[in-house]
Amino acid sequence: MESSLFSSLNRFRTASNSFLSQYEPLTLLVAPLLSLLVALTVRSFLGVVHENGLKATLLGFIMSSVKLLPGVKKYIDAEKQKVVDKLQSSGKSKRDDWRTELPKAGLGVGTIDKLKDAKMNDVVWQGKCSGTVYIGGSESEGHFSLINEACSMFAHTNPLHLDVFQSIVRFEAEVVAMTAALLGRKEKSSGGQICGNMTSGGTESILLAVKSSRDYMKAKKGITRPEIIIPESAHSAYDKAAQYFNIKLWRVPVNNEFQADVKAIKHLINRSTILIVGSAPGFPHGIVDPIEACGSLTDFLARELGELAVSYGICFHVDLCLGGFVLPFARKLGYPIPPFDFSVGGVTSISVDVHKYGLAPKGTSVVLYRNHDIRKHQFVAVTEWSGGLYVSPTIAGSRPGGLIAGAWASVMSLGMEGYLENTREIMEASKKIQKEVKEIPELFIVGRPDMTIVAFGSYVLDIFEVNDIMSSKGWHLNALQRPNSIHICVTLQHVAVVGEFVKDLRDSVQTVKRNPGPVSGGLAPIYGAAGKMPDRVMVRELLVDFMDSSC
């Protein structure tokens, strides 16, 4: 047996040497190295295709090749700078008198006068901004005054020192508990373990939910190359989370109703998927994604995101940053709001901003989890630091206790009846705006808004030119893409000015209809060109250059 095997190997060696003897030794040395290089190149290319898609990869290769031509890159950079300068408008000139060093002598109480002078230069935002400021009335009276006093009373506190500032620890726990009670904690299907923390805003809440989901799924399933799947209407915070936490992000087009496309999301789920996302509502169009799990939870023809999450055993985050302090009350008022919270099977985490419709001070949000097993992966604990044992619940270490106190003061002062009345007013205002916009023949409503955001576009006019005219009248609306449109996020600030908004919108449409074309100083050409530009890398570079020169 051994001699037979030895004889076969000897014959193979002789035949191989005879075959290879016709090649030069250098060729035999180089050929494997070239093969390895080709294999690595192909692997790298396939990796880029997997990351960006075939179309984007080929387009990027073509654009990179074009930029290698003499003078082309220099020309492109010059044109990009023109766009950046246009976006900044007069911003640079306003920076000329900005301080770059400490004053030689402190100003003392005179600093307050400086603050007042600087604030006088801010844009008039009362009733004119989409979203931005959610509290109604004057900022020196009423609810504004109440939360200002609460914030100043606890401005020196920091919940990092929980043994010192016990009041702030209590306020945070109560805000989290009260928010959870609004979002299904009392439902039997929630499991009875809803827990969470306060954060600095919706972005941090989403970042923490993604990070916790990543680490939870690694512990549960051993996933080391995590992927998340989101509809293209989902907030950009998920892109930020993917970059920060080294996660592959799949962004899926929405369906004809501008909701998350459940079938398209299902198609992308694989062994590395840790998280899918839904919004209630999505920021662009105010439309609630199909979150509710109805029917069999083992049905792989799932029609809702909750079913998908349960069927595949993955995490499911619901972005309630906008809707958390509206949808529960809208449902109580009789609006047809589908289930969206922890009462839905499969929902593992929720983000909700208290500083939006919760009317709390800016910088307050809540991230909630279905149970403590998931939330534990949010925390960072350090045992080997010479400074002692350290554990922190959120991204920030020190946190402003004054904002937590302001949030507690807000929810306590308004209560259930206050939020119900606020919701009634803003829902009625948004429905009135929808009705009026539908009566403007040149415009169309994007989808069927469920909440307080009204997005509209036009098939016959450049909607960004309409936006420029509205801007000249003092309105600050949000420009959207896919499709090109603009939206207004209705707040209490708008309740008293709905008629003025509609009138200005009608006048702006007629102005553009009579005189189509870019408005002097307007940004319509830039928005339009950015939406049509196939090289998205160049658009991203424009945004980065703009930010780099603005902060």
Side-chain angles (χ1 to χ4, degrees):
M1 178 70 177
E2 290 183 6
S3 61
S4 174
L5 177 62
F6 181 79
S7 176
S8 297
L9 290 174
N10 196 37
R11 286 196 301 271
F12 175 76
R13 180 179 64 83
T14 302
S16 298
N17 287 334
S18 175
F19 174 76
L20 295 174
S21 64
Q22 59 185 309
Y23 297 100
E24 294 183 10
L26 183 61
T27 302
L28 296 178
L29 179 64
V30 171
L33 295 176
L34 288 176
S35 299
L36 178 61
L37 181 61
V38 170
L40 290 175
T41 302
V42 171
R43 180 184 177 185
S44 177
F45 175 76
L46 292 177
V48 174
V49 170
H50 176 74
E51 184 74 20
N52 302 318
L54 180 60
K55 181 179 178 182
T57 300
L58 293 176
L59 183 60
F61 175 77
I62 293 172
M63 293 303 299
S64 297
S65 301
V66 170
K67 291 176 184 178
L68 294 176
L69 296 175
V72 172
K73 186 178 186 303
K74 185 177 181 180
Y75 172 78
I76 291 176
D77 288 342
E79 291 301 307
K80 284 198 302 182
Q81 189 57 48
K82 290 180 182 178
V83 175
V84 170
D85 291 342
K86 177 71 172 177
L87 287 170
Q88 287 182 320
S89 279
S90 59
K92 285 186 176 180
S93 62
K94 294 178 180 178
R95 289 171 169 257
D96 291 342
D97 62 345
W98 286 16
R99 283 190 175 275
T100 56
E101 296 180 359
L102 288 170
K104 184 176 181 179
L107 302 181
V109 295
T111 304
I112 300 299
D113 292 331
K114 291 289 185 181
L115 289 171
K116 291 179 179 178
D117 291 342
K119 189 171 185 178
M120 291 294 291
N121 293 323
D122 286 349
V123 170
V124 177
W125 50 261
Q126 287 83 351
K128 290 283 190 175
C129 292
S130 173
T132 310
V133 179
Y134 292 77
I135 303 172
S138 167
E139 61 179 324
S140 61
E141 301 174 342
H143 192 76
F144 272 112
S145 180
L146 182 142
I147 63 171
N148 288 345
E149 183 174 353
C151 288
S152 64
M153 189 184 303
F154 291 87
H156 60 284
T157 63
N158 180 356
L160 181 66
H161 305 285
L162 52 85
D163 57 330
V164 177
F165 302 112
Q166 298 177 30
S167 57
I168 293 300
V169 175
R170 171 192 168 187
F171 293 155
E172 176 175 10
E174 291 187 355
V175 170
V176 170
M178 287 185 280
T179 304
L182 291 174
L183 302 177
R185 188 197 69 196
K186 297 180 179 179
E187 300 294 330
K188 186 176 181 180
S189 57
S190 74
Q193 293 189 48
I194 307 301
C195 54
N197 293 92
M198 289 191 67
T199 72
S200 63
T203 292
E204 186 184 357
S205 291
I206 288 171
L207 289 174
L208 288 171
V210 172
K211 187 266 184 191
S212 302
S213 299
R214 182 198 67 177
D215 294 351
Y216 173 71
M217 293 299 286
K218 181 179 180 180
K220 183 180 179 182
K221 290 188 173 183
I223 297 175
T224 57
R225 301 184 68 181
E227 301 182 4
I228 62 177
I229 309 169
I230 68 174
E232 65 179 8
S233 56
H235 198 276
S236 298
Y238 298 101
D239 297 81
K240 186 179 288 188
Q243 291 184 36
Y244 285 1
F245 304 137
N246 194 27
I247 298 173
K248 168 63 182 173
L249 175 71
W250 296 100
R251 190 175 278 275
V252 179
V254 292
N255 61 23
N256 293 334
E257 300 297 323
F258 297 94
Q259 294 177 304
D261 189 327
V262 179
K263 290 183 179 179
I265 290 175
K266 175 179 178 292
H267 179 71
L268 288 174
I269 293 176
N270 57 48
R271 293 179 180 177
S272 295
T273 303
I274 61 167
L275 177 71
I276 58 176
V277 168
S279 303
F283 169 80
H285 313 121
I287 297 172
V288 176
D289 285 328
I291 290 166
E292 178 184 15
C294 57
S296 171
L297 293 179
T298 58
D299 179 11
F300 278 77
L301 296 177
R303 292 169 294 171
E304 275 77 33
L305 295 171
E307 290 176 297
L308 280 186
V310 173
S311 297
Y312 288 92
I314 56 181
C315 294
F316 176 24
H317 181 76
V318 178
D319 182 357
L320 272 162
C321 288
L322 267 171
F325 278 83
V326 173
L327 295 180
F329 306 107
R331 178 186 287 173
K332 286 181 178 292
L333 292 172
Y335 287 93
I337 307 296
F340 53 83
D341 54 22
F342 285 112
S343 64
V344 175
V347 174
T348 53
S349 57
I350 287 175
S351 53
V352 49
D353 285 356
V354 196
H355 67 203
K356 288 190 172 71
Y357 291 105
L359 307 190
K362 289 300 180 186
T364 53
S365 179
V366 170
V367 57
L368 297 170
Y369 298 94
R370 181 170 287 273
N371 56 53
H372 292 269
D373 287 341
I374 304 174
R375 186 179 70 152
K376 286 178 182 178
H377 293 281
Q378 173 183 294
F379 305 152
V380 171
V382 181
T383 61
E384 305 307 311
W385 178 36
S386 60
L389 300 178
Y390 177 90
V391 62
S392 176
T394 61
I395 292 175
S398 293
R399 291 183 290 155
L403 296 182
I404 295 173
W408 185 88
S410 180
V411 297
M412 290 294 290
S413 66
L414 289 166
M416 185 69 70
E417 292 181 359
Y419 283 119
L420 281 170
E421 181 56 32
N422 290 342
T423 299
R424 179 182 291 105
E425 290 186 7
I426 56 176
M427 288 293 285
E428 288 178 359
S430 63
K431 295 302 179 184
K432 184 175 181 180
I433 289 176
Q434 286 183 51
K435 177 179 178 297
E436 295 289 347
V437 171
K438 286 179 180 179
E439 294 178 1
I440 301 175
E442 293 83 5
L443 303 180
F444 67 87
I445 299 285
V446 179
R448 292 179 292 180
D450 291 302
M451 215 184 80
T452 53
I453 291 175
V454 184
F456 47 91
S458 176
Y459 295 119
V460 295
L461 301 174
D462 186 333
I463 195 64
F464 297 137
E465 291 179 12
V466 174
N467 190 36
D468 282 342
I469 300 296
M470 289 292 285
S471 295
S472 71
K473 296 177 181 292
W475 295 96
H476 300 271
L477 309 179
N478 292 94
L480 314 172
Q481 58 181 352
R482 299 176 184 173
N484 287 351
S485 50
I486 55 180
H487 87 207
I488 180 171
C489 177
V490 180
T491 73
L492 291 173
Q493 288 282 330
H494 300 118
V495 171
V497 296
V498 169
E500 180 183 352
F501 172 80
V502 172
K503 179 183 181 302
D504 285 347
L505 180 59
R506 289 182 180 276
D507 291 344
S508 298
V509 167
Q510 293 306 311
T511 298
V512 174
K513 188 175 181 180
R514 290 192 302 268
N515 303 289
V519 178
S520 177
L523 298 177
I526 294 176
Y527 284 128
K532 297 175 183 177
M533 195 178 294
D535 184 5
R536 308 312 290 174
V537 173
M538 186 178 295
V539 178
R540 183 165 62 246
E541 290 174 351
L542 279 172
L543 294 175
V544 171
D545 288 347
F546 166 68
M547 182 56 63
D548 185 51
S549 59
S550 301
C551 65

